């Protein structure tokens, strides 16, 4: 099979790491194991990624980072909505995928501009703040400000309202995040010890390794969480059918 225009897994990771620093070869392989990627193979078994494969991977990473979507949902959207002749990102694009997010993330925005910027009511953003999902900051003049980095999270919470999941329901995730962060911190301490000691110098390389380890832990714990929830939901509906 000709390899013109195809990239090895290492080159794919190197190409995308500038935009997604936590990307690693192991994560790309994990996405393949989960059925989200299906690269070609050489006769000797080496993976070769086409431009379509790379674009699909970029889409997956974007949706994870900016839309906070679980892999199962991303797979359904990519497999179910990718039309012939169109890219996966084009197929699932919507008003919630705004190209100015990167620019907005660098700024604080008055809360009264949320209907204009995000299409959500000011009252909804305040409810998210009261539930602890997002913090609000104060301007020198006392105005409530929203961090642009929270825009994707606000949109995700807004989409959940269509399923009857509101800000009050999300308090449990705030509590869980606070609890789980302690677990991740301890795990990173163990990781540091294995790497040569907790007090090792925080070089750029060490920070990169920590970031990759943390990202992998998030991916794996998401898989555990998704599986446990799916199992319980399946059990509940199975009992209802009896």
């Amino acid at each position: 099979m000709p390899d013109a225009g195809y990239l090895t897994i290492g080159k794919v990771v190197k190409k995308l790491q500038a935009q997604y620093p936590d990307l690693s070869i192991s994560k790309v392989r994990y996405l393949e194991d989960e059925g989200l990627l299906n690269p070609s193979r050489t006769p000797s078994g080496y993976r070769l990624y086409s431009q379509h494969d790379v674009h699909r991977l970029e889409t997956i990473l974007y949706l994870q980072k900016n839309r906070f979507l679980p892999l199962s949902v991303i797979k359904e959207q990519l497999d179910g909505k990718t039309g012939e002749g169109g890219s996966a990102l084009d197929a699932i694009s919507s008003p919630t995928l705004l190209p100015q997010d990167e620019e907005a993330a660098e700024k604080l925005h008055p809360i009264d501009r949320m209907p204009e910027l995000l299409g959500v009511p000011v009252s909804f953003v305040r409810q998210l703040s009261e539930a602890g999902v997002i913090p609000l900051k104060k301007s020198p003049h006392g105005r409530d400000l929203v961090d642009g980095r929270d825009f994707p999270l606000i949109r995700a919470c807004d989409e959940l309202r269509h399923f009857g999941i509101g800000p009050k329901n999300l308090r449990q995730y705030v509590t869980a995040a606070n609890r789980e962060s302690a677990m991740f911190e301890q795990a990173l301490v163990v990781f540091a010890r294995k790497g040569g000691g907790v007090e090792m110098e925080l070089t750029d390389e060490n920070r990169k390794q920590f970031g990759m380890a943390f990202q992998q832990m998030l991916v794996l714990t998401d898989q555990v969480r998704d599986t446990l929830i799916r199992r319980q939901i399946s059990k509940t509906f199975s009992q209802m059918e009896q």
Side-chain angles (χ1 to χ4, degrees):
M1 171 183 166
D3 60 359
Y6 285 77
L7 299 176
T8 63
I9 189 170
K11 290 182 178 180
V12 170
V13 170
K14 185 175 181 180
K15 175 177 178 162
L16 299 181
Q17 270 186 334
Q19 187 174 1
Y20 301 98
D22 296 334
L23 184 63
S24 64
I25 289 177
S26 61
K27 180 173 181 179
V28 177
R29 287 174 175 166
Y30 174 75
L31 293 173
E32 181 183 341
D33 291 340
E34 291 297 302
L36 282 94
L37 296 172
N38 185 28
S40 302
R41 296 267 188 166
T42 66
S44 56
Y46 288 101
R47 298 170 174 82
L48 289 178
Y49 291 80
S50 66
Q51 290 303 309
H52 173 77
D53 294 327
V54 174
H55 186 81
R56 182 179 173 99
L57 174 58
E58 285 184 282
T59 303
I60 294 167
L61 298 174
Y62 179 91
L63 293 175
Q64 277 191 307
K65 178 180 178 180
N66 296 287
R67 295 285 300 280
F68 304 96
L69 295 181
L71 292 179
S72 57
V73 174
I74 293 175
K75 186 176 187 301
E76 289 175 2
Q77 291 190 343
L78 291 178
D79 293 344
K81 295 187 178 181
T82 303
E84 187 175 349
S87 69
L89 186 56
D90 293 336
I92 61 175
S93 61
S94 70
T96 60
L97 290 175
L98 300 178
Q100 62 266 36
D101 272 355
E102 292 185 6
E103 180 180 349
E106 300 176 0
K107 302 177 183 178
L108 297 174
H109 306 267
I111 194 172
D112 54 14
R113 291 198 62 203
M114 293 305 100
E116 170 193 347
L117 295 174
L118 300 178
V120 300
V122 171
S123 59
F124 176 68
V125 180
R126 290 196 184 281
Q127 289 170 7
L128 290 176
S129 176
E130 292 168 0
V133 177
I134 64 166
L136 294 179
K137 300 182 179 181
K138 289 287 185 181
S139 73
H141 301 289
R143 300 176 69 187
D144 286 327
L145 303 175
V146 179
D147 193 325
R149 290 173 295 184
D150 288 328
F151 279 14
L153 178 56
I154 294 172
R155 292 198 191 95
C157 294
D158 181 49
E159 291 186 23
L160 284 172
R161 290 198 296 169
H162 298 294
F163 301 96
I165 301 176
K168 290 183 179 180
N169 303 116
L170 299 177
R171 289 182 188 271
Q172 60 184 309
Y173 291 98
V174 177
T175 302
N178 293 335
R179 183 174 60 250
E180 289 182 36
S181 63
M183 177 186 69
F184 286 123
E185 289 170 3
Q186 180 61 36
L188 288 172
V189 168
V190 173
F191 177 78
R193 287 173 178 165
K194 289 182 178 179
V198 178
E199 303 299 330
M200 65 182 181
E201 183 183 356
L202 286 178
T203 63
D204 289 342
E205 180 62 26
N206 289 338
R207 289 190 178 92
K208 181 178 179 181
Q209 290 180 358
F210 265 62
M212 292 171 62
F214 182 43
Q215 178 62 35
Q216 187 68 3
M217 283 190 287
L218 288 175
V219 170
L220 294 173
T221 52
D222 282 347
Q223 181 184 11
V224 173
R225 185 184 303 108
D226 288 353
T227 301
L228 293 176
I229 292 176
R230 286 175 180 274
R231 180 185 299 165
Q232 186 60 44
I233 294 298
S234 297
K235 184 188 302 182
T236 300
F237 278 91
S238 176
Q239 292 173 348
M240 290 174 59
E241 293 173 356
Q242 294 178 358

